[in-house]
Amino acid sequence: SGVRLLMLDGRDDPLVPATPTLAGDLAARGATVDAVMLPAGHEPTAADVEEAARWLRRSLSEAEPNG
């Protein structure tokens, strides 16, 4: 489908257990899924922000014509 996305999971999330189901379903439908497990719970952390920023920088540089 040409869609690229980042999935951040908290290893210690008590509300949403980390499972590869959603990532696998999206990939099976043609999405490029970058799934990252972080040492965190359910709330966003600085590690989430840092990982998202890295992913965005990498994704945007790859999307540039000379990237």
Side-chain angles (χ1 to χ4, degrees):
S1 72
V3 174
R4 184 170 182 188
L5 60 104
L6 172 65
M7 291 182 65
L8 300 175
D9 284 317
R11 181 187 61 222
D12 304 316
D13 188 337
L15 301 176
V16 182
T19 62
T21 304
L22 179 57
D25 288 347
L26 292 168
R29 287 165 177 77
T32 300
V33 181
D34 295 320
V36 179
M37 180 70 65
L38 297 170
H42 190 71
E43 297 296 321
T45 66
D48 291 279
V49 174
E50 292 167 8
E51 187 62 39
R54 256 192 307 275
W55 184 85
L56 283 170
R57 279 192 301 274
R58 186 175 62 243
S59 296
L60 292 173
S61 70
E62 290 172 3
E64 291 178 3
N66 297 322

